[in-house]
Amino acid sequence: MRIYFLALGTLLIVCVGCAHDGQQLVNHHGEYHAPPAEMLAHPGPMVGGPGPGVMLASANGGMVQPGMMPPGMMPPGMGCPPGPGMGMMPPMQAPAQSTQVRFLGPEGMQIGWQIGEGFADAQITAPGRYNFHQGATYRLKLARVPGREGLTLYPSLHIYPVQAQTAAYLEHNTLPIRITDEDLDQVETNNFVTKVIYLPDAKYQELAIAGVEELVSTRLGPGLDPVAEADRRGTIMAVVRIGNLDYEMPTQLGGGLSQQVGPDGELMQASHVVQVSGEQGQYVPPMPIGMSHGGSNIPGDMMMSGPSYPGQPPYNPVMNVAGGPTYGYPITGTPIGLPGPPHLPLGRPAGLKKHTVRNTTDYNVGKPVDQVLIDVRHEPGISMPEPVKYIQYTESHPSYGQGEVSMPAWAAGQPAQ
Amino acid sequence: MNKAIALALFVLCGEAIGQAQVPGRYFPLDHRQVPGVASRWNALTRPGAFGQPQPVQIHLPEKGTVSFYHGSPQRVVETQAPSQVGLFVGYTYRIKLSGLESHPGVELYPTLEVIDRLHPPEGLAERFPIPVEITAEELEAALQDRMITKVIYLEQPDVARPVESTGFLPVEELSPRENLMAAADHRGRPVAIFRLGGRIPDPQAPADEFYSQSPIQFSTATVPAE
């Protein structure tokens, strides 16, 4: 009997092994999967950036190449129209890199923001609007709130990067933010208010005309996170967090931004503290506040480029430095020196086996040094935690098999009407 | 041909009219996608269509000015509504609406994405532009920071409504949950997407990405602003 089961098991393994052709690892229904449509809509076959043979495909449609265009009816000096079927790739409007925030009220409230060590007061007055660069957090200063004499608040405004779902909206609409009496009451009674502005997914759209919606922490049930809830319902575009911490206390230890006395009690030069007021006609753009990760090597829970120091590129959570490529946008060396795919690699080896560049220039320069020795030393030595060496990132895309996809009529090879 | 053009704005009827678009199936294009995706798809599918000139006529509910940005924000060409210009298939255009009688001082900046072209008789292209009609209700909604998206399509002759056109384009209002591109493809051939909202350019950055740099063709049908 034992020999019988052993033989049966062996037969089963052999049969399964024969039926396994490797496709089962990624393919369960005989389907083929490609990156999402918006990623496929790049010039190269599954590769972003202009590919070989593609000419002057700029991001914003400015791809007119003088001399190649047929003469049109353009007025003199107005450039040339493009010609049809020229083999160029169609242009793509660059997604908005800034989000226009509209402060609706209370009417008359002055909105300022942090600029380095100080604050720029009264940069706009509600109702008013301003374009904030995306992917950064700003410290606002709300003052002269009508009916709230002496109240000054310093909320943070986190502007999220544009997503495929929000690009069209952000290119055409403002992001409305209104500080209500209820919000102010909550803050004055020592509560913390979080407002999340998001664009609902289509299935959550309720109004006749599409628009943004807002979730406020004080109106949700206890234990509910407005950010998580908004993320479940749609795509977050901005988060406002309001508390009653005073960021301009003159004697605040280790904190105050515009303090005249330093953290060690030393006097600071008055010129070091920037004082800007819109009431005097002075306007300075906001600067993102410091790293949200506290300067540690531990990346935050959100895998996105975060704000960095003023004037510096966004902080990269994967490389743990500023200025690195955004996660999910690997820069791959290509034979033509262009960036690689903006989506996840396809998980297979590159087809290129050999790439040779020969420099035949005559030259007469000194012999290169073959060995250089420089001794450097830190006292005391450096001891830091182990860096991150493994990150698992999984993208899940819906897949549709044959009979489940409906293509546009014009893409299905039907004659034009 | 003008009578054969319809505007799709919402509410999907469930009849199985389209040949390629079948209700209930996944439709890869969506009006909520990044502006330019639909025209890009069409150009990739049919490269010969890309860059073809297509006259477009923009109507306002009242007297007003329609401005186009030709190549850069500084090269503004102001025209009187109804304004007719030649746009190009595959491009997205930023337009400025101003000088509205009932909204003095108000400026709106919609975009128009030209997906495909019409096929009028030879030499009559200027007589058959793609009409873009903007209503007073849409202007009001945009001023309230609402977003309006219209997909303009050429209806299929065999499924066209058997009624005579009254001079205005038929408009269907669909639920915001619907996919306008799928609905338009169900009824005919989408040729343009019009998006209108309340965002205005940053006055402190006059050359930002807000403006389009798409080329424009002007003709005798273009009426300069007074």
Side-chain angles (χ1 to χ4, degrees):
Chain A
M1 182 62 76
R2 190 175 296 172
I3 295 175
Y4 170 75
F5 278 114
L6 184 63
L8 186 63
T10 306
L11 181 65
L12 182 66
I13 291 171
V14 168
C15 290
V16 171
C18 291
H20 195 287
D21 58 1
Q23 289 294 309
Q24 285 80 358
L25 292 174
V26 295
N27 190 342
H28 299 288
H29 309 292
E31 304 162 349
Y32 294 99
H33 297 262
E38 62 263 27
M39 295 179 180
L40 277 176
H42 281 269
M46 293 191 181
V47 175
V54 180
M55 303 174 65
L56 290 178
S58 70
N60 51 12
M63 52 188 298
V64 180
Q65 191 176 24
M68 292 185 66
M69 309 300 165
M73 294 181 287
M74 200 73 64
M78 300 299 283
C80 301
M86 300 179 62
M88 296 187 299
M89 299 314 295
M92 191 82 174
Q93 185 84 18
Q97 297 301 311
S98 64
T99 296
Q100 189 164 91
V101 176
R102 193 175 186 186
F103 298 94
L104 298 173
E107 289 192 16
M109 176 181 70
Q110 290 183 344
I111 298 116
W113 41 65
Q114 185 177 333
I115 48 168
E117 286 294 317
F119 278 91
D121 296 335
Q123 297 299 290
I124 50 178
T125 302
R129 59 181 85 194
Y130 191 82
N131 284 8
F132 290 90
H133 287 289
Q134 294 166 349
T137 304
Y138 303 90
R139 177 76 60 195
L140 302 180
K141 179 180 179 180
L142 310 181
R144 296 195 184 178
V145 183
R148 312 266 177 168
E149 299 305 321
L151 177 66
T152 302
L153 298 174
Y154 300 87
S156 68
L157 173 63
H158 188 176
I159 303 292
Y160 276 55
V162 66
Q163 303 289 336
Q165 298 91 330
T166 58
Y169 184 89
L170 290 176
E171 282 185 25
H172 296 85
N173 268 78
T174 61
L175 216 59
I177 292 178
R178 180 186 290 277
I179 310 298
T180 64
D181 279 339
E182 184 185 347
D183 299 333
L184 297 172
D185 289 341
Q186 293 282 354
V187 171
E188 285 192 310
T189 53
N190 228 24
N191 286 324
F192 181 61
V193 178
T194 303
K195 300 169 84 83
V196 185
I197 298 97
Y198 68 100
L199 187 66
D201 289 342
K203 60 183 177 183
Y204 291 112
Q205 284 280 1
E206 295 173 354
L207 298 173
I209 303 175
V212 295
E213 294 188 13
E214 180 183 281
L215 274 181
V216 186
S217 57
T218 52
R219 294 179 205 159
L220 290 177
L224 282 180
D225 179 5
V227 176
E229 184 64 16
D231 192 49
R232 190 181 66 81
R233 298 186 191 180
T235 308
I236 299 175
M237 295 188 286
V239 178
V240 184
R241 294 178 172 91
I242 316 172
N244 58 7
L245 182 62
D246 187 351
Y247 277 80
E248 290 186 294
M249 286 181 66
T251 56
Q252 184 180 0
L253 290 178
L257 292 161
S258 59
Q259 57 191 5
Q260 307 292 322
V261 181
D264 297 327
E266 78 281 12
L267 290 176
M268 293 177 66
Q269 292 184 10
S271 60
H272 181 65
V273 180
V274 182
Q275 300 287 352
V276 173
S277 174
E279 292 178 330
Q280 299 171 12
Q282 301 165 329
Y283 295 96
V284 177
M287 293 184 184
I289 57 178
M291 286 181 172
S292 59
H293 307 297
S296 74
N297 284 335
I298 304 172
D301 54 349
M302 186 179 300
M303 298 303 291
M304 55 172 277
S305 290
S308 181
Y309 292 112
Q312 298 297 313
Y315 165 81
N316 187 293
V318 175
M319 299 179 66
N320 202 27
V321 295
T326 305
Y327 187 74
Y329 287 70
I331 300 299
T332 308
T334 62
I336 51 177
L338 293 172
H343 50 75
L344 287 179
L346 297 178
R348 65 187 180 198
L352 186 67
K353 300 297 183 188
K354 186 176 182 183
H355 178 218
T356 305
V357 177
R358 298 175 61 181
N359 186 355
T360 59
T361 308
D362 295 330
Y363 64 89
N364 181 16
V365 295
K367 284 186 177 179
V369 176
D370 59 349
Q371 290 184 12
V372 173
L373 176 63
I374 300 175
D375 288 330
V376 297
R377 182 176 177 81
H378 278 283
E379 290 289 353
I382 298 171
S383 175
M384 296 177 69
E386 288 289 325
V388 175
K389 62 181 180 182
Y390 175 69
I391 295 174
Q392 182 176 2
Y393 178 83
T394 304
E395 281 190 1
S396 298
H397 311 296
S399 61
Y400 302 94
Q402 192 171 11
E404 296 175 333
V405 180
S406 179
M407 297 298 290
W410 41 261
Q414 296 188 359
Q417 298 147 18
Chain B
M1 184 174 290
N2 264 340
K3 293 178 181 176
I5 294 182
L7 294 178
L9 234 186
F10 314 106
V11 190
L12 179 67
C13 53
E15 307 162 60
I17 303 171
Q19 296 174 26
Q21 204 278 317
V22 179
R25 287 189 177 184
Y26 170 67
F27 193 78
L29 289 177
D30 197 312
H31 67 278
R32 304 176 191 86
Q33 284 168 326
V34 182
V37 168
S39 57
R40 193 179 183 85
W41 265 59
N42 191 27
L44 288 168
T45 312
R46 301 189 307 157
F50 171 64
Q52 291 277 359
Q54 173 57 54
V56 174
Q57 193 171 57
I58 297 176
H59 299 259
L60 294 177
E62 55 195 87
K63 190 177 177 183
T65 302
V66 181
S67 304
F68 297 89
Y69 298 93
H70 182 66
S72 77
Q74 288 75 33
R75 299 168 82 176
V76 184
V77 180
E78 295 187 339
T79 63
Q80 195 69 44
S83 170
Q84 182 168 328
V85 294
L87 306 182
F88 292 89
V89 174
Y91 287 85
T92 302
Y93 295 85
R94 179 73 70 175
I95 302 165
K96 175 177 150 186
L97 310 178
S98 60
L100 302 168
E101 285 185 335
S102 60
H103 301 286
V106 167
E107 293 179 350
L108 291 171
Y109 293 82
T111 62
L112 185 67
E113 178 181 350
V114 184
I115 304 172
D116 209 344
R117 57 169 295 213
L118 304 178
H119 297 274
E122 182 69 25
L124 298 179
E126 293 292 331
R127 284 184 54 191
F128 299 105
I130 294 176
V132 179
E133 287 190 356
I134 305 167
T135 66
E137 293 76 21
E138 291 163 3
L139 293 178
E140 287 293 336
L143 292 174
Q144 295 170 11
D145 272 330
R146 291 287 175 186
M147 184 167 174
I148 299 98
T149 306
K150 304 172 88 165
V151 177
I152 303 156
Y153 65 94
L154 178 68
E155 62 185 0
Q156 290 189 45
D158 52 344
V159 296
R161 294 180 176 181
V163 293
E164 189 173 355
S165 171
T166 57
F168 294 95
L169 297 177
V171 178
E172 276 187 86
E173 294 195 4
L174 305 189
S175 159
R177 302 183 181 194
E178 300 293 343
N179 180 354
L180 295 192
M181 285 300 293
D185 192 71
H186 189 57
R187 293 157 171 75
R189 182 163 58 90
V191 291
I193 303 178
F194 178 78
R195 297 177 174 95
L196 174 64
R199 179 167 180 168
I200 60 176
D202 183 1
Q204 297 170 353
D208 63 5
E209 75 280 356
F210 182 82
Y211 299 96
S212 63
Q213 299 180 19
S214 305
I216 298 173
Q217 198 174 45
F218 298 96
S219 69
T220 53
T222 306
V223 182
E226 296 171 356

